[in-house]
Amino acid sequence: MNQFFNNKRMIVLLISVIIFISTIAFSMTRNREDASIPQLFMNDITGLAATVIAKPAEAVNGFVDSVDNLLHTYEENQQLKQKIDALDNMQARIYTLDQENMSLKQELELQNSLSEFSTISSSVISRNPDTWVDQIIVDKGSEDGVAVDMSVMSGNGLIGRVAEVSPTTSKILLLSTANQSVNRVSAEVQMPDGPIHGIVDDYESNTGLLVMSEIDPSAKIEVGKQVVTSGLGGVSPASLLIGVVKEVRMDAFGLFQEVTIEPAGNIGEIRYVTIIKRGSEVAP
C-alpha cells in the first residue's frame, strides 16, 4: 500500500512539472500585451530565473577566460625565462672567449719579443687545486721538443720551468711554489748604471708578489725598474722578463737588500704558456 501511494505521488509531481513547463513555453510564444495576469507573473518569474542563472554562468565564463589568460601568460614567461637563460649562457661564453683571445694575444706578443729564442706554444690541461700555486700540466712533451729545465712564460712574464716530461705532456713548476729548491732564479734589476744581481727565491701568497734577495746592500734600486733573468744560473736564458720592482727593503737580518716584484706573468690565471728552447748561445 505504501508503495502505491509513493508511485502516485511521483506521477502527480511529474504531471505538475510537465504542466508548469508547458505553461512557460506557451507564455513565451504569446504577446505580452495579450497575456493574462498569471501568464505575466509566470513570464516575470521565468525572466528572473533566467537572469539569476545567467549571472553565475557569465561569472564562470569570465573565470575560465581568466584561467586561460593566466596559463597563456605562464607559458610566455617560461619562454622568456628560457631566452634569458640562453642569453646568460651566451654572455658567459663570450666572456670566456674574450679572456682566451686576450691570453692568445699576449702569447703572440711574447713570441714576437723572443725572436732570438725558439719557442713552443702549449695549453694548460690540468691544475690541481691542492697544488694550485705549485705546478701545472701542459699538453706538449718530448715529442714536441720539450726538455727538463726549459723556462716557461705566460702573459709576457716568466712563470716557472719544466720539471718533468713525458712524450705528450709536461709538468711545470711555478715560481710561486713554496719549494725553494726549485723556485730559485738568477735575476737582475735593469738600472741605467748597470744591472744589479740577485736571486728570485720566494713568493708572498698574501700579496701575489715575488721576492728577489741577496742584493748588494749598497746598490741603488728604483721602484718600477724591470727585473729579468740574468742567464747566470745556467738554466734560464738571459733577458726573460720576470716583472717590475714594487718595493725595496732590507732583509730580516739586515745583511742584504731585497725587493718585491710585481710579476709580469699572471700566475693566478694560466691558460696558455710559451716554453723557451734555449739555443747554443748560453750566457756565461
Side-chain angles (χ1 to χ4, degrees):
M1 182 66 69
N2 292 333
Q3 182 68 29
F4 173 78
F5 283 112
N6 289 336
N7 293 337
K8 185 177 181 180
R9 289 173 184 172
M10 291 295 296
I11 294 170
V12 171
L13 179 60
L14 179 60
I15 294 172
S16 299
V17 171
I18 294 172
I19 293 172
F20 178 76
I21 294 175
S22 299
T23 302
I24 293 174
F26 179 75
S27 65
M28 296 296 290
T29 61
R30 298 188 59 186
N31 192 311
R32 184 176 177 85
E33 294 179 354
D34 298 332
S36 62
I37 292 176
Q39 290 174 340
L40 292 175
F41 175 75
M42 293 302 297
N43 289 342
D44 291 339
I45 293 298
T46 304
L48 179 61
T51 302
V52 172
I53 295 173
K55 290 298 183 182
E58 291 176 0
V60 171
N61 186 56
F63 175 75
V64 172
D65 290 340
S66 298
V67 172
D68 184 65
N69 292 334
L70 182 61
L71 292 176
H72 184 67
T73 302
Y74 174 78
E75 292 176 356
E76 288 183 343
N77 288 341
Q78 290 298 107
Q79 293 175 357
L80 290 173
K81 185 176 182 301
Q82 292 176 355
K83 291 181 179 180
I84 291 173
D85 291 341
L87 181 60
D88 290 341
N89 292 332
M90 184 179 297
Q91 289 177 339
R93 179 59 177 166
I94 290 173
Y95 175 81
T96 301
L97 291 175
D98 285 342
Q99 295 300 311
E100 290 181 353
N101 188 42
M102 186 181 301
S103 298
L104 289 171
K105 284 183 177 180
Q106 289 178 339
E107 296 308 311
L108 181 60
E109 292 173 359
L110 175 62
Q111 291 182 34
N112 290 336
S113 66
L114 296 175
S115 57
E116 64 271 26
F117 306 115
S118 176
T119 61
I120 302 172
S121 297
S122 184
S123 299
V124 177
I125 58 174
S126 176
R127 191 173 188 181
N128 194 317
D130 295 333
T131 56
W132 188 264
V133 298
D134 296 318
Q135 65 185 37
I136 58 175
I137 306 297
V138 298
D139 62 354
K140 295 294 173 65
S142 57
E143 292 181 353
D144 306 287
V146 180
V148 172
D149 285 337
M150 285 184 174
S151 298
V152 181
M153 303 185 74
S154 179
N156 296 327
L158 184 72
I159 61 166
R161 65 177 180 84
V162 178
E164 296 179 11
V165 178
S166 72
T168 57
T169 64
S170 299
K171 178 191 292 185
I172 311 299
L173 289 179
L174 304 174
L175 294 179
S176 55
T177 180
N179 189 345
Q180 295 188 354
S181 64
V182 298
N183 69 350
R184 297 171 64 86
V185 178
S186 179
E188 63 185 33
V189 181
Q190 294 181 327
M191 295 294 295
D193 297 334
I196 297 174
H197 296 277
I199 303 294
V200 175
D201 58 1
D202 199 6
Y203 175 77
E204 297 179 345
S205 58
N206 59 326
T207 62
L209 301 177
L210 297 169
V211 178
M212 178 178 174
S213 61
E214 299 183 24
I215 302 172
D216 185 346
S218 63
K220 302 297 182 181
I221 302 175
E222 298 177 11
V223 173
K225 293 299 182 181
Q226 288 189 335
V227 181
V228 300
T229 56
S230 66
L232 300 177
V235 177
S236 298
S239 303
L240 300 181
L241 180 63
I242 299 174
V244 296
V245 176
K246 183 76 172 181
E247 180 188 5
V248 182
R249 64 196 182 194
M250 294 299 295
D251 64 17
F253 302 101
L255 300 177
F256 296 96
Q257 288 188 99
E258 63 181 19
V259 301
T260 56
I261 304 169
E262 184 76 40
N266 188 353
I267 297 177
E269 289 291 337
I270 307 172
R271 293 179 178 271
Y272 306 97
V273 301
T274 299
I275 302 172
I276 309 301
K277 293 181 66 175
R278 189 171 182 175
S280 58
E281 67 283 4
V282 178

